[in-house]
Amino acid sequence: MVISNFREYFIVGLDLAFVQNGYWWHTEFDEARRVTPGSLQRAGDNIYATLLHLLQSPYLENPAEFGDQKNVFFDFFGLFVVVYSEGVANAVHAILIVAVVVSTANHVRKHSEWRTVIVHLILNIPSYGMIVYLSELFLSIFIPIMGRIGSNPEVLVAIFTNITSYVVVLSLLSILTLTRTNRKQEETTLRNFVDMIAGILIAAAIVLLILCRLHKSPYNHSDSYPVARRIQLFHVNRALYNKDDGVKVRDSVLYVIAQDYRGAMDIPFVDENYTIPKCQYENPYCEIPLYFPTRSRIQDKLVEIPKRRKYNDPRLLCRHIRYRSFDDRPDIPGTKINMVHKEESGNRLSYDFLIKGSGQISVFLVPQSGWQIANCSISAPKMETDDHPLFLFLTCSGRNCGDWTFKVTLKHPGDPVKDDETQLLIGAASHYLHGPNMQSFTIKRILAEIAKNRQHDPTWSTTASAWNVDMIYRYF
């Protein structure tokens, strides 16, 4: 459990969350039955104790008398929480420094070697236990997080594990200075040293081979502790229009988006029928109905297609996304973009738009022909104009949900072209996250195939966030 505040948003508060088992977060495995009774008990104890402390705190009566106080707090193996002030922390650190100096001075005295070694190991047991605990916590949290942002988690894991190993090994070096060797001088040659290193490497290689045999995939599925890779499935009805408002593309496609560093190339059901997304406009979002603005997975993560793939292509591609056309069209309402009003004033344009769709809509505003977005009524104020696109996410619930009106202001840094009748490209993707319109027959078939095959094949150990989307792009 972690307790954090919201200082960056100028909100005073505490956030209590369960952080272990990051592979389950926001997936089908994120169930109440997987939260251990001990975690629930600690959460209740922490909330209850926090409320009692806040209610009894004099800070509520006279907050002006209390300045910003800095405290150190941590839990001890999840058993209890230790809290003390910054002054106490400084005193404790000073005492520890003195203790280290005194201990070092005592080492110069003559003591029996075995007693010193035993005392050294006993005193370091809490440190080693904490290192093991924190290492397991770190790996179980940050490997899934690093994988989901598209970065290679192996680099961070390698750095962390090596530093941890070095710290433990270096802490034992002092024992070597306290022990003697009975080996003869002729037994300490370079040949003996090389043989010793070779033996260590061979033993390590054998251990690695055994582990590779036992764990053929980094993912596996079991009901008690599933470790699955994350993907997204979007079955999208697309309606893309030309500048003359004629239909450019009207089809139904399935997008497969990998949420980890491995990419989409080795997802089991992604075969040669799935291709690279082809952008229909000069659009950095490439008409992909992203639920979040993660367009870096489209442009920044480019690799060359391996020649061993069946669908060999010498071009560069996005490793995270594939799509395929299907005859099965989701039965969902169409998304509409209407321009209510347009006002021109020199090198400035103001639009009033009405968008109708689902309760969750992704909106993509892409300025054209040198125009720049100066302001939008439902986004954060822009300090300066630029030609970057703007991503909006609209969400609501209840009656009349899905109707949105907003104003967009464009500014041209120079003299706009008079005969150019389109200054803005708008895309809107309605996401159906619940209800009878959530999943098409194609999505349900793929999910059933995943659920069946992952029981016996680790390569199918996948969890998918899957829903239908209706998307439209129009020029204005």
Side-chain angles (χ1 to χ4, degrees), residues 147 217-219 229 258-266 319-320 459:
S217 171
Y219 302 101
R229 65 185 304 184
Q259 294 291 317
D260 65 352
Y261 182 75
R262 293 167 67 97
M265 292 180 289
D266 64 344
R319 62 183 298 169
H320 288 85
T459 60

Side-chain angles (χ1 to χ4, degrees), residues 85 100 135 157 218 225-227 335-336 347 377 380-381 418 467:
S85 65
V100 170
S135 299
V157 171
Y225 197 92
V227 179
T335 306
K336 297 180 180 180
N347 63 343
S377 61
K418 300 299 182 181
W467 57 80

Side-chain angles (χ1 to χ4, degrees), residues 84-274:
Y84 49 87
S85 65
E86 184 181 18
V88 174
N90 293 332
V92 171
H93 296 163
I95 293 174
L96 291 177
I97 292 174
V98 173
V100 170
V101 173
V102 173
S103 176
T104 303
N106 289 334
H107 274 298
V108 300
R109 300 180 180 181
K110 293 183 178 180
H111 292 285
S112 58
E113 297 173 359
W114 65 268
R115 183 183 304 172
T116 304
V117 172
I118 293 176
V119 171
H120 181 90
L121 293 176
I122 292 176
L123 292 178
N124 279 280
I125 286 177
S127 300
Y128 297 149
M130 183 61 70
I131 289 175
V132 173
Y133 172 74
L134 293 178
S135 299
E136 189 275 335
L137 184 65
F138 177 87
L139 295 177
S140 66
I141 295 174
F142 286 98
I143 288 180
I145 292 178
M146 290 292 295
R148 290 207 302 273
I149 64 176
S151 301
N152 187 355
E154 296 179 0
V155 177
L156 182 62
V157 171
I159 294 174
F160 173 78
T161 53
N162 277 279
I163 291 177
T164 304
S165 301
Y166 286 139
V167 169
V168 174
V169 172
L170 291 176
S171 69
L172 298 174
L173 289 181
S174 59
I175 298 179
L176 298 179
T177 64
L178 302 175
T179 57
R180 298 176 181 176
T181 177
N182 295 322
R183 301 177 67 183
K184 298 179 181 180
Q185 185 175 2
E186 58 269 17
E187 296 177 351
T188 58
T189 62
L190 179 61
R191 174 64 182 274
N192 295 111
F193 177 77
V194 172
D195 291 342
M196 179 183 66
I197 297 299
I200 294 175
L201 294 177
I202 293 174
I206 293 174
V207 172
L208 290 176
L209 288 175
I210 294 175
L211 292 176
C212 290
R213 290 286 184 178
L214 294 177
H215 302 281
K216 297 181 180 180
S217 171
Y219 302 101
N220 61 80
H221 179 78
S222 66
D223 183 68
S224 59
Y225 197 92
V227 179
R229 65 185 304 184
R230 297 165 182 255
I231 64 173
Q232 285 182 318
L233 301 178
F234 295 151
H235 198 169
V236 186
N237 289 339
R238 300 193 304 175
L240 312 179
Y241 291 85
N242 292 313
K243 291 185 177 182
D244 59 1
D245 217 25
V247 177
K248 185 175 186 178
V249 174
R250 187 182 296 274
D251 59 6
S252 178
V253 297
L254 180 73
Y255 285 90
V256 180
I257 304 178
Q259 294 291 317
D260 65 352
Y261 182 75
R262 293 167 67 97
M265 292 180 289
D266 64 344
I267 296 176
F269 62 87
V270 175
D271 53 22
E272 62 273 8
N273 294 317
Y274 289 82

Side-chain angles (χ1 to χ4, degrees), residues 367 371-374 382 384-389 411:
W371 288 89
Q372 300 175 348
I373 298 177
K382 300 190 67 172
E384 57 183 18
T385 60
D386 54 50
D387 56 357
H388 294 163
K411 182 180 179 180

Side-chain angles (χ1 to χ4, degrees), residues 18 36-46:
F18 303 105
T36 62
S39 296
L40 292 175
Q41 183 64 51
R42 285 197 300 272
D45 291 342
N46 288 333

